[in-house]
Amino acid sequence: MPIAKISPSLLSGDFGILAAECKRMVSHGADWLHMDVMDGHFVPNITIGAPVISCLSKHLNAFLDCHMMVSHPEKWVDDFAKAGASLYCFHIEATENASALIDKIHAAGMKAGVAVKPKTPISTVMDLGDKMDMCLVMTVEPGFGGQRFMAECMPKVRELRARFPDLDIEVDGGIALENIDAAAEAGANVIVAGTSIFKASDISGTIETFRTKVNTEQALLAKK
Ligand code: DX5
Ligand code: ZN
């Protein structure tokens, strides 16, 4: 049974003190740290690259969940592996040969994730289910934090979970206490949240609530 992993999105953190923000999230109970990598082509925004991941991994002993919103994901695999990335999650829309890219990521020593944008059908990744380590079902259009959660993406999570009971399924975008039930019930177990965690008055409590909801639903799903 996949267990809950809570991965705060550092996009909502203070980039001037990024390592301290990462440590703060770990101290509040974060399992993974979600690093949003944007190249200005795949999405209309630019964030960070391998040099920043490399600096962070020197200061931290944490699982770095790298969400690659970039046009040529093949290009950066080796740099990110060297930098200390733990998971390299590319977008299915950005590559011609997802299967070969997963092999390249594994050969570089990282876990491989495959992300789908809200309008991309889940059928595009179904044949990778036994090969990828994680599937990221986006619940906003990638590019910016602070957007509204798209509940209409939940049937994709449900379909994936029905077919792959042990797969890590991540949801990302607009996740908050008001909609965690929908994501957990559909079968997501890796929860990314930026705004709702960084703006929470009780960060540890918010992370624990996400965890409890996910683990409760996963236990129910396992019984079905
Ligand atoms: C959006 C990013 C998300 C974003 C989530 O393109 O992939 O990781 O930071 O932030 P919230 O939780 O604020 O939607
Ligand atoms: Zn993300």
Side-chain angles (χ1 to χ4, degrees):
M1 184 180 97
I3 55 160
K5 285 152 197 137
I6 313 304
S7 191
S9 167
L10 273 297
L11 194 58
S12 294
D14 180 343
F15 270 59
I17 50 164
L18 199 48
E21 291 287 72
C22 289
K23 286 181 187 163
R24 183 162 73 99
M25 289 301 122
V26 171
S27 76
H28 281 299
D31 302 281
W32 290 3
L33 298 171
H34 186 82
M35 310 305 304
D36 286 302
V37 177
M38 307 182 188
D39 70 351
H41 293 283
F42 186 74
V43 289
N45 201 1
I46 302 178
T47 55
I48 57 166
V52 175
I53 298 296
S54 172
C55 292
L56 287 178
S57 70
K58 281 186 197 122
H59 289 283
L60 306 162
N61 179 24
F63 187 99
L64 299 177
D65 163 25
C66 297
H67 178 191
M68 305 300 295
M69 287 162 273
V70 303
S71 288
H72 299 285
E74 296 80 9
K75 254 188 177 171
W76 311 110
V77 171
D78 293 334
D79 286 357
F80 272 71
K82 265 192 224 121
S86 312
L87 183 146
Y88 190 96
C89 184
F90 64 89
H91 268 265
I92 192 74
E93 304 87 358
T95 185
E96 300 275 291
N97 192 341
S99 179
L101 182 49
I102 292 174
D103 290 338
K104 189 176 163 84
I105 295 165
H106 284 158
M110 296 179 288
K111 289 195 177 224
V114 184
V116 289
K117 296 207 268 188
K119 292 193 191 87
T120 303
I122 202 68
S123 56
T124 55
V125 297
M126 279 297 185
D127 61 350
L128 301 168
D130 295 318
K131 194 165 184 178
M132 59 186 163
D133 300 295
M134 185 187 85
C135 184
L136 163 52
V137 177
M138 289 299 300
T139 46
V140 297
E141 285 300 335
F144 300 92
Q147 304 181 76
R148 188 189 61 83
F149 170 75
M150 297 168 74
E152 57 271 38
C153 299
M154 289 306 97
K156 295 201 279 190
V157 174
R158 227 174 273 281
E159 199 179 327
L160 258 184
R161 178 55 75 215
R163 180 102 166 261
F164 304 104
D166 298 320
L167 182 69
D168 274 333
I169 302 179
E170 181 174 72
V171 282
D172 178 12
I175 307 282
L177 292 173
E178 308 83 76
N179 51 47
I180 185 65
D181 285 339
E185 276 165 31
N189 69 299
V190 186
I191 306 299
V192 175
T195 309
S196 72
I197 289 182
F198 278 87
K199 294 243 155 75
S201 52
D202 177 5
I203 293 179
S204 305
T206 303
I207 289 177
E208 264 328 287
T209 303
F210 288 164
R211 187 190 312 289
T212 305
K213 300 261 183 193
V214 166
N215 285 336
T216 305
E217 288 303 326
Q218 286 298 322
L220 291 173
L221 281 167
K223 277 196 207 139
K224 277 188 191 160

